[in-house]
mmCIF file with all atom_site columns, all heavy atoms in Angstrom:
data_model
loop_
_atom_site.group_PDB
_atom_site.id
_atom_site.type_symbol
_atom_site.label_atom_id
_atom_site.label_alt_id
_atom_site.label_comp_id
_atom_site.label_asym_id
_atom_site.label_entity_id
_atom_site.label_seq_id
_atom_site.pdbx_PDB_ins_code
_atom_site.Cartn_x
_atom_site.Cartn_y
_atom_site.Cartn_z
_atom_site.occupancy
_atom_site.B_iso_or_equiv
_atom_site.pdbx_formal_charge
_atom_site.auth_seq_id
_atom_site.auth_comp_id
_atom_site.auth_asym_id
_atom_site.auth_atom_id
_atom_site.pdbx_PDB_model_num
ATOM 1  N N   . VAL R 1 151 ? -17.988 19.451 17.921 1.00 94.00 ? 151 VAL R N   1
ATOM 2  C CA  . VAL R 1 151 ? -18.622 18.299 17.221 1.00 94.00 ? 151 VAL R CA  1
ATOM 3  C C   . VAL R 1 151 ? -18.660 18.529 15.734 1.00 94.00 ? 151 VAL R C   1
ATOM 4  O O   . VAL R 1 151 ? -18.948 19.677 15.275 1.00 94.00 ? 151 VAL R O   1
ATOM 5  C CB  . VAL R 1 151 ? -20.042 18.109 17.725 1.00 94.00 ? 151 VAL R CB  1
ATOM 6  C CG1 . VAL R 1 151 ? -20.946 19.259 17.496 1.00 94.00 ? 151 VAL R CG1 1
ATOM 7  C CG2 . VAL R 1 151 ? -20.684 16.875 17.143 1.00 94.00 ? 151 VAL R CG2 1
ATOM 8  N N   . CYS R 1 152 ? -18.251 17.524 14.905 1.00 95.00 ? 152 CYS R N   1
ATOM 9  C CA  . CYS R 1 152 ? -18.372 17.635 13.544 1.00 95.00 ? 152 CYS R CA  1
ATOM 10 C C   . CYS R 1 152 ? -18.527 16.199 12.948 1.00 95.00 ? 152 CYS R C   1
ATOM 11 O O   . CYS R 1 152 ? -17.609 15.456 12.869 1.00 95.00 ? 152 CYS R O   1
ATOM 12 C CB  . CYS R 1 152 ? -17.126 18.308 12.947 1.00 95.00 ? 152 CYS R CB  1
ATOM 13 S SG  . CYS R 1 152 ? -17.107 18.524 11.206 1.00 95.00 ? 152 CYS R SG  1
ATOM 14 N N   . ARG R 1 153 ? -19.819 15.950 12.565 1.00 97.00 ? 153 ARG R N   1
ATOM 15 C CA  . ARG R 1 153 ? -19.999 14.509 12.124 1.00 97.00 ? 153 ARG R CA  1
ATOM 16 C C   . ARG R 1 153 ? -19.650 14.492 10.599 1.00 97.00 ? 153 ARG R C   1
ATOM 17 O O   . ARG R 1 153 ? -20.206 15.380 9.869  1.00 97.00 ? 153 ARG R O   1
ATOM 18 C CB  . ARG R 1 153 ? -21.380 14.168 12.339 1.00 97.00 ? 153 ARG R CB  1
ATOM 19 C CG  . ARG R 1 153 ? -21.890 13.965 13.715 1.00 97.00 ? 153 ARG R CG  1
ATOM 20 C CD  . ARG R 1 153 ? -23.385 13.513 13.746 1.00 97.00 ? 153 ARG R CD  1
ATOM 21 N NE  . ARG R 1 153 ? -23.843 13.327 15.138 1.00 97.00 ? 153 ARG R NE  1
ATOM 22 C CZ  . ARG R 1 153 ? -23.760 12.174 15.897 1.00 97.00 ? 153 ARG R CZ  1
ATOM 23 N NH1 . ARG R 1 153 ? -23.076 11.138 15.355 1.00 97.00 ? 153 ARG R NH1 1
ATOM 24 N NH2 . ARG R 1 153 ? -24.188 12.265 17.084 1.00 97.00 ? 153 ARG R NH2 1
ATOM 25 N N   . ILE R 1 154 ? -18.885 13.571 10.280 1.00 98.00 ? 154 ILE R N   1
ATOM 26 C CA  . ILE R 1 154 ? -18.501 13.376 8.773  1.00 98.00 ? 154 ILE R CA  1
ATOM 27 C C   . ILE R 1 154 ? -18.625 11.895 8.468  1.00 98.00 ? 154 ILE R C   1
ATOM 28 O O   . ILE R 1 154 ? -18.274 11.035 9.371  1.00 98.00 ? 154 ILE R O   1
ATOM 29 C CB  . ILE R 1 154 ? -17.031 13.815 8.610  1.00 98.00 ? 154 ILE R CB  1
ATOM 30 C CG1 . ILE R 1 154 ? -16.823 15.301 8.941  1.00 98.00 ? 154 ILE R CG1 1
ATOM 31 C CG2 . ILE R 1 154 ? -16.559 13.528 7.128  1.00 98.00 ? 154 ILE R CG2 1
ATOM 32 C CD1 . ILE R 1 154 ? -15.324 15.766 8.767  1.00 98.00 ? 154 ILE R CD1 1
ATOM 33 N N   . TRP R 1 155 ? -19.122 11.691 7.250  1.00 98.00 ? 155 TRP R N   1
ATOM 34 C CA  . TRP R 1 155 ? -19.173 10.268 6.742  1.00 98.00 ? 155 TRP R CA  1
ATOM 35 C C   . TRP R 1 155 ? -18.427 10.376 5.432  1.00 98.00 ? 155 TRP R C   1
ATOM 36 O O   . TRP R 1 155 ? -18.664 11.151 4.581  1.00 98.00 ? 155 TRP R O   1
ATOM 37 C CB  . TRP R 1 155 ? -20.588 9.853  6.544  1.00 98.00 ? 155 TRP R CB  1
ATOM 38 C CG  . TRP R 1 155 ? -21.421 9.804  7.720  1.00 98.00 ? 155 TRP R CG  1
ATOM 39 C CD1 . TRP R 1 155 ? -21.697 8.687  8.458  1.00 98.00 ? 155 TRP R CD1 1
ATOM 40 C CD2 . TRP R 1 155 ? -22.230 10.900 8.409  1.00 98.00 ? 155 TRP R CD2 1
ATOM 41 N NE1 . TRP R 1 155 ? -22.511 9.018  9.468  1.00 98.00 ? 155 TRP R NE1 1
ATOM 42 C CE2 . TRP R 1 155 ? -22.906 10.349 9.388  1.00 98.00 ? 155 TRP R CE2 1
ATOM 43 C CE3 . TRP R 1 155 ? -22.313 12.259 8.039  1.00 98.00 ? 155 TRP R CE3 1
ATOM 44 C CZ2 . TRP R 1 155 ? -23.646 11.165 10.366 1.00 98.00 ? 155 TRP R CZ2 1
ATOM 45 C CZ3 . TRP R 1 155 ? -23.124 12.984 8.944  1.00 98.00 ? 155 TRP R CZ3 1
ATOM 46 C CH2 . TRP R 1 155 ? -23.728 12.461 9.990  1.00 98.00 ? 155 TRP R CH2 1
ATOM 47 N N   . VAL R 1 156 ? -17.549 9.298  5.206  1.00 98.00 ? 156 VAL R N   1
ATOM 48 C CA  . VAL R 1 156 ? -16.910 9.187  3.998  1.00 98.00 ? 156 VAL R CA  1
ATOM 49 C C   . VAL R 1 156 ? -17.216 7.859  3.433  1.00 98.00 ? 156 VAL R C   1
ATOM 50 O O   . VAL R 1 156 ? -17.303 6.864  4.143  1.00 98.00 ? 156 VAL R O   1
ATOM 51 C CB  . VAL R 1 156 ? -15.306 9.348  4.143  1.00 98.00 ? 156 VAL R CB  1
ATOM 52 C CG1 . VAL R 1 156 ? -14.985 10.757 4.617  1.00 98.00 ? 156 VAL R CG1 1
ATOM 53 C CG2 . VAL R 1 156 ? -14.676 8.381  5.041  1.00 98.00 ? 156 VAL R CG2 1
ATOM 54 N N   . GLY R 1 157 ? -17.271 7.801  2.043  1.00 97.00 ? 157 GLY R N   1
ATOM 55 C CA  . GLY R 1 157 ? -17.364 6.592  1.349  1.00 97.00 ? 157 GLY R CA  1
ATOM 56 C C   . GLY R 1 157 ? -16.178 6.126  0.719  1.00 97.00 ? 157 GLY R C   1
ATOM 57 O O   . GLY R 1 157 ? -15.493 6.831  0.018  1.00 97.00 ? 157 GLY R O   1
ATOM 58 N N   . ALA R 1 158 ? -15.664 4.986  1.051  1.00 95.00 ? 158 ALA R N   1
ATOM 59 C CA  . ALA R 1 158 ? -14.446 4.398  0.521  1.00 95.00 ? 158 ALA R CA  1
ATOM 60 C C   . ALA R 1 158 ? -14.728 3.526  -0.643 1.00 95.00 ? 158 ALA R C   1
ATOM 61 O O   . ALA R 1 158 ? -15.849 2.756  -0.631 1.00 95.00 ? 158 ALA R O   1
ATOM 62 C CB  . ALA R 1 158 ? -13.654 3.581  1.507  1.00 95.00 ? 158 ALA R CB  1
#
Side-chain angles (χ1 to χ4, degrees):
V151 60
C152 182
R153 293 183 183 272
I154 299 179
W155 297 264
V156 298

